[in-house]
Amino acid sequence: EVHLVESGGGLVQPGGSLRLSCSASGFIFSSFAMTWVRQAPGKGLEWVSAISGSGNSIYYTASVKGRFTVSRDNSKNTLYLQMNSLRAEDTALYFCAKNKMDGLPSYEYWGQGTRVTVSS
Amino acid sequence: DIQMTQSPSSLSASVGDRVTITCRASQGISNSLAWYQQKPGRGPKLLLDTASRLESGVPSRFSGSGSGTDYTLTVSSLQPEDFATYYCQQHYSAPITFGQGTRLEIK
């Protein structure tokens, strides 16, 4: 059974940093691209970043480019999102999701999310 | 970016009702459309992909249809566990985009 468990969220001041982690189990982690999706309070879903199974291909939404860095450690079955220069508008519940296929995917498994609050 | 517009934004219905949610893309997406169900405090659950393919384990009361820019999700007979928020997502063109959600509430 596939499990995705996010951690690392919390309260941080504007301009601060956080590192999110997503621990994966139940599938061959290195074989699948992974994605971060966020959901601002009371809002819909927003695609944030994706990384290929090998880690060689990486993508970001425009609003986080240059501030967020996605990475993965396939030996630890863990996905990361390093978030720097955080802004109030980054406040959201952050989900990791397993890509269903290569290319432009749907997402067949999601974690429960980790909450990030950016506020002074 | 492709904009996805869902309607209605919210919907009240009763157990046993048939309901339909619509998702319209700002340009054609060639059936590259997924539907998700989200319950409070949980990640979304993939229900259907490629507009009409039911995911394994999803009850057959859920169905999807559409083509081009217009797609629908239908629940043929609502069950208590179906009251949730539903999202569409296009995976035809980068960046991936989602609809704003349809909240399905008990009448």
PDB file of all heavy atoms in Angstrom, chain B residues 28-34 49-52 65-71 89 91-92:
ATOM      1  N   GLY B  28      -8.993  23.687 -25.678  1.00  0.00           N
ATOM      2  CA  GLY B  28      -9.165  22.252 -25.759  1.00  0.00           C
ATOM      3  C   GLY B  28      -8.056  21.486 -25.055  1.00  0.00           C
ATOM      4  O   GLY B  28      -6.883  21.863 -25.145  1.00  0.00           O
ATOM      5  N   ILE B  29      -8.431  20.414 -24.354  1.00  0.00           N
ATOM      6  CA  ILE B  29      -7.441  19.652 -23.578  1.00  0.00           C
ATOM      7  C   ILE B  29      -7.472  18.160 -23.935  1.00  0.00           C
ATOM      8  O   ILE B  29      -6.913  17.342 -23.218  1.00  0.00           O
ATOM      9  CB  ILE B  29      -7.628  19.844 -22.052  1.00  0.00           C
ATOM     10  CG1 ILE B  29      -9.038  19.457 -21.605  1.00  0.00           C
ATOM     11  CG2 ILE B  29      -7.296  21.275 -21.660  1.00  0.00           C
ATOM     12  CD1 ILE B  29      -9.202  19.434 -20.080  1.00  0.00           C
ATOM     13  N   SER B  30      -8.152  17.810 -25.010  1.00  0.00           N
ATOM     14  CA  SER B  30      -8.070  16.451 -25.558  1.00  0.00           C
ATOM     15  C   SER B  30      -8.261  15.354 -24.518  1.00  0.00           C
ATOM     16  O   SER B  30      -7.507  14.382 -24.476  1.00  0.00           O
ATOM     17  CB  SER B  30      -6.718  16.260 -26.268  1.00  0.00           C
ATOM     18  OG  SER B  30      -6.605  17.108 -27.364  1.00  0.00           O
ATOM     19  N   ASN B  31      -9.247  15.506 -23.685  1.00  0.00           N
ATOM     20  CA  ASN B  31      -9.605  14.520 -22.661  1.00  0.00           C
ATOM     21  C   ASN B  31      -8.528  14.300 -21.599  1.00  0.00           C
ATOM     22  O   ASN B  31      -8.593  13.323 -20.841  1.00  0.00           O
ATOM     23  CB  ASN B  31      -9.970  13.167 -23.296  1.00  0.00           C
ATOM     24  CG  ASN B  31     -11.282  13.219 -24.038  1.00  0.00           C
ATOM     25  OD1 ASN B  31     -11.930  14.248 -24.102  1.00  0.00           O
ATOM     26  ND2 ASN B  31     -11.669  12.092 -24.608  1.00  0.00           N
ATOM     27  N   SER B  32      -7.539  15.190 -21.531  1.00  0.00           N
ATOM     28  CA  SER B  32      -6.492  15.075 -20.501  1.00  0.00           C
ATOM     29  C   SER B  32      -7.000  15.728 -19.223  1.00  0.00           C
ATOM     30  O   SER B  32      -6.506  16.774 -18.776  1.00  0.00           O
ATOM     31  CB  SER B  32      -5.199  15.730 -20.975  1.00  0.00           C
ATOM     32  OG  SER B  32      -4.695  15.056 -22.092  1.00  0.00           O
ATOM     33  N   LEU B  33      -8.010  15.087 -18.650  1.00  0.00           N
ATOM     34  CA  LEU B  33      -8.712  15.669 -17.522  1.00  0.00           C
ATOM     35  C   LEU B  33      -8.903  14.628 -16.434  1.00  0.00           C
ATOM     36  O   LEU B  33      -9.332  13.501 -16.707  1.00  0.00           O
ATOM     37  CB  LEU B  33     -10.083  16.186 -17.943  1.00  0.00           C
ATOM     38  CG  LEU B  33     -10.788  16.879 -16.756  1.00  0.00           C
ATOM     39  CD1 LEU B  33     -10.618  18.388 -16.825  1.00  0.00           C
ATOM     40  CD2 LEU B  33     -12.238  16.511 -16.663  1.00  0.00           C
ATOM     41  N   ALA B  34      -8.596  15.021 -15.199  1.00  0.00           N
ATOM     42  CA  ALA B  34      -8.781  14.164 -14.036  1.00  0.00           C
ATOM     43  C   ALA B  34      -9.768  14.822 -13.077  1.00  0.00           C
ATOM     44  O   ALA B  34      -9.887  16.043 -13.035  1.00  0.00           O
ATOM     45  CB  ALA B  34      -7.449  13.927 -13.327  1.00  0.00           C
ATOM     46  N   ASP B  49      -9.693   9.564 -14.602  1.00  0.00           N
ATOM     47  CA  ASP B  49      -8.655  10.162 -15.417  1.00  0.00           C
ATOM     48  C   ASP B  49      -9.042  10.030 -16.879  1.00  0.00           C
ATOM     49  O   ASP B  49      -9.984   9.279 -17.225  1.00  0.00           O
ATOM     50  CB  ASP B  49      -7.314   9.496 -15.129  1.00  0.00           C
ATOM     51  CG  ASP B  49      -6.145  10.373 -15.530  1.00  0.00           C
ATOM     52  OD1 ASP B  49      -6.365  11.502 -16.022  1.00  0.00           O
ATOM     53  OD2 ASP B  49      -4.999   9.944 -15.349  1.00  0.00           O
ATOM     54  N   THR B  50      -8.338  10.741 -17.739  1.00  0.00           N
ATOM     55  CA  THR B  50      -8.664  10.820 -19.169  1.00  0.00           C
ATOM     56  C   THR B  50     -10.158  11.005 -19.374  1.00  0.00           C
ATOM     57  O   THR B  50     -10.780  10.373 -20.228  1.00  0.00           O
ATOM     58  CB  THR B  50      -8.143   9.598 -19.943  1.00  0.00           C
ATOM     59  OG1 THR B  50      -8.660   8.393 -19.354  1.00  0.00           O
ATOM     60  CG2 THR B  50      -6.626   9.570 -19.895  1.00  0.00           C
ATOM     61  N   ALA B  51     -10.717  11.856 -18.570  1.00  0.00           N
ATOM     62  CA  ALA B  51     -12.111  12.304 -18.641  1.00  0.00           C
ATOM     63  C   ALA B  51     -13.137  11.264 -18.190  1.00  0.00           C
ATOM     64  O   ALA B  51     -14.137  11.627 -17.573  1.00  0.00           O
ATOM     65  CB  ALA B  51     -12.464  12.800 -20.040  1.00  0.00           C
ATOM     66  N   SER B  52     -12.913   9.990 -18.480  1.00  0.00           N
ATOM     67  CA  SER B  52     -13.979   9.019 -18.214  1.00  0.00           C
ATOM     68  C   SER B  52     -13.495   7.693 -17.646  1.00  0.00           C
ATOM     69  O   SER B  52     -14.320   6.816 -17.376  1.00  0.00           O
ATOM     70  CB  SER B  52     -14.758   8.736 -19.512  1.00  0.00           C
ATOM     71  OG  SER B  52     -13.890   8.213 -20.492  1.00  0.00           O
ATOM     72  N   SER B  65     -17.535  12.371 -18.423  1.00  0.00           N
ATOM     73  CA  SER B  65     -17.695  12.471 -19.868  1.00  0.00           C
ATOM     74  C   SER B  65     -17.214  13.836 -20.325  1.00  0.00           C
ATOM     75  O   SER B  65     -16.890  14.700 -19.512  1.00  0.00           O
ATOM     76  CB  SER B  65     -19.157  12.254 -20.265  1.00  0.00           C
ATOM     77  OG  SER B  65     -19.967  13.302 -19.746  1.00  0.00           O
ATOM     78  N   GLY B  66     -17.214  13.997 -21.633  1.00  0.00           N
ATOM     79  CA  GLY B  66     -16.857  15.289 -22.198  1.00  0.00           C
ATOM     80  C   GLY B  66     -15.817  15.172 -23.279  1.00  0.00           C
ATOM     81  O   GLY B  66     -15.275  14.088 -23.553  1.00  0.00           O
ATOM     82  N   SER B  67     -15.539  16.309 -23.894  1.00  0.00           N
ATOM     83  CA  SER B  67     -14.520  16.383 -24.932  1.00  0.00           C
ATOM     84  C   SER B  67     -14.203  17.851 -25.174  1.00  0.00           C
ATOM     85  O   SER B  67     -14.947  18.735 -24.731  1.00  0.00           O
ATOM     86  CB  SER B  67     -14.999  15.729 -26.231  1.00  0.00           C
ATOM     87  OG  SER B  67     -16.125  16.420 -26.739  1.00  0.00           O
ATOM     88  N   GLY B  68     -13.084  18.076 -25.869  1.00  0.00           N
ATOM     89  CA  GLY B  68     -12.723  19.456 -26.184  1.00  0.00           C
ATOM     90  C   GLY B  68     -12.464  20.294 -24.953  1.00  0.00           C
ATOM     91  O   GLY B  68     -11.480  20.085 -24.255  1.00  0.00           O
ATOM     92  N   THR B  69     -13.360  21.225 -24.686  1.00  0.00           N
ATOM     93  CA  THR B  69     -13.195  22.118 -23.539  1.00  0.00           C
ATOM     94  C   THR B  69     -14.164  21.826 -22.394  1.00  0.00           C
ATOM     95  O   THR B  69     -13.976  22.350 -21.304  1.00  0.00           O
ATOM     96  CB  THR B  69     -13.407  23.583 -23.960  1.00  0.00           C
ATOM     97  OG1 THR B  69     -14.727  23.744 -24.470  1.00  0.00           O
ATOM     98  CG2 THR B  69     -12.381  24.015 -25.011  1.00  0.00           C
ATOM     99  N   ASP B  70     -15.174  21.012 -22.614  1.00  0.00           N
ATOM    100  CA  ASP B  70     -16.244  20.827 -21.631  1.00  0.00           C
ATOM    101  C   ASP B  70     -16.341  19.398 -21.117  1.00  0.00           C
ATOM    102  O   ASP B  70     -16.470  18.459 -21.918  1.00  0.00           O
ATOM    103  CB  ASP B  70     -17.586  21.246 -22.232  1.00  0.00           C
ATOM    104  CG  ASP B  70     -17.633  22.730 -22.573  1.00  0.00           C
ATOM    105  OD1 ASP B  70     -16.986  23.508 -21.858  1.00  0.00           O
ATOM    106  OD2 ASP B  70     -18.310  23.100 -23.549  1.00  0.00           O
ATOM    107  N   TYR B  71     -16.324  19.252 -19.789  1.00  0.00           N
ATOM    108  CA  TYR B  71     -16.308  17.940 -19.148  1.00  0.00           C
ATOM    109  C   TYR B  71     -17.276  17.928 -17.971  1.00  0.00           C
ATOM    110  O   TYR B  71     -17.547  18.981 -17.371  1.00  0.00           O
ATOM    111  CB  TYR B  71     -14.887  17.605 -18.688  1.00  0.00           C
ATOM    112  CG  TYR B  71     -13.926  17.559 -19.844  1.00  0.00           C
ATOM    113  CD1 TYR B  71     -13.293  18.714 -20.311  1.00  0.00           C
ATOM    114  CD2 TYR B  71     -13.695  16.360 -20.527  1.00  0.00           C
ATOM    115  CE1 TYR B  71     -12.449  18.680 -21.412  1.00  0.00           C
ATOM    116  CE2 TYR B  71     -12.848  16.319 -21.623  1.00  0.00           C
ATOM    117  CZ  TYR B  71     -12.241  17.481 -22.057  1.00  0.00           C
ATOM    118  OH  TYR B  71     -11.417  17.435 -23.158  1.00  0.00           O
ATOM    119  N   GLN B  89      -8.788  18.701 -12.968  1.00  0.00           N
ATOM    120  CA  GLN B  89      -7.388  19.051 -13.240  1.00  0.00           C
ATOM    121  C   GLN B  89      -7.071  18.718 -14.686  1.00  0.00           C
ATOM    122  O   GLN B  89      -7.377  17.617 -15.158  1.00  0.00           O
ATOM    123  CB  GLN B  89      -6.447  18.248 -12.338  1.00  0.00           C
ATOM    124  CG  GLN B  89      -4.963  18.450 -12.637  1.00  0.00           C
ATOM    125  CD  GLN B  89      -4.197  17.145 -12.723  1.00  0.00           C
ATOM    126  OE1 GLN B  89      -4.472  16.184 -12.001  1.00  0.00           O
ATOM    127  NE2 GLN B  89      -3.200  17.098 -13.600  1.00  0.00           N
ATOM    128  N   HIS B  91      -4.201  17.935 -17.498  1.00  0.00           N
ATOM    129  CA  HIS B  91      -2.799  17.563 -17.673  1.00  0.00           C
ATOM    130  C   HIS B  91      -2.488  17.459 -19.164  1.00  0.00           C
ATOM    131  O   HIS B  91      -1.801  16.545 -19.630  1.00  0.00           O
ATOM    132  CB  HIS B  91      -2.429  16.298 -16.891  1.00  0.00           C
ATOM    133  CG  HIS B  91      -3.297  15.094 -17.129  1.00  0.00           C
ATOM    134  ND1 HIS B  91      -2.963  14.104 -18.024  1.00  0.00           N
ATOM    135  CD2 HIS B  91      -4.469  14.703 -16.575  1.00  0.00           C
ATOM    136  CE1 HIS B  91      -3.881  13.167 -18.005  1.00  0.00           C
ATOM    137  NE2 HIS B  91      -4.814  13.513 -17.129  1.00  0.00           N
ATOM    138  N   TYR B  92      -2.985  18.448 -19.886  1.00  0.00           N
ATOM    139  CA  TYR B  92      -2.723  18.552 -21.324  1.00  0.00           C
ATOM    140  C   TYR B  92      -1.538  19.460 -21.608  1.00  0.00           C
ATOM    141  O   TYR B  92      -0.751  19.218 -22.531  1.00  0.00           O
ATOM    142  CB  TYR B  92      -3.975  19.090 -22.018  1.00  0.00           C
ATOM    143  CG  TYR B  92      -3.812  19.335 -23.483  1.00  0.00           C
ATOM    144  CD1 TYR B  92      -3.816  18.277 -24.391  1.00  0.00           C
ATOM    145  CD2 TYR B  92      -3.647  20.632 -23.982  1.00  0.00           C
ATOM    146  CE1 TYR B  92      -3.653  18.496 -25.749  1.00  0.00           C
ATOM    147  CE2 TYR B  92      -3.494  20.855 -25.338  1.00  0.00           C
ATOM    148  CZ  TYR B  92      -3.507  19.790 -26.209  1.00  0.00           C
ATOM    149  OH  TYR B  92      -3.354  20.010 -27.557  1.00  0.00           O
TER     150      TYR B  92
END
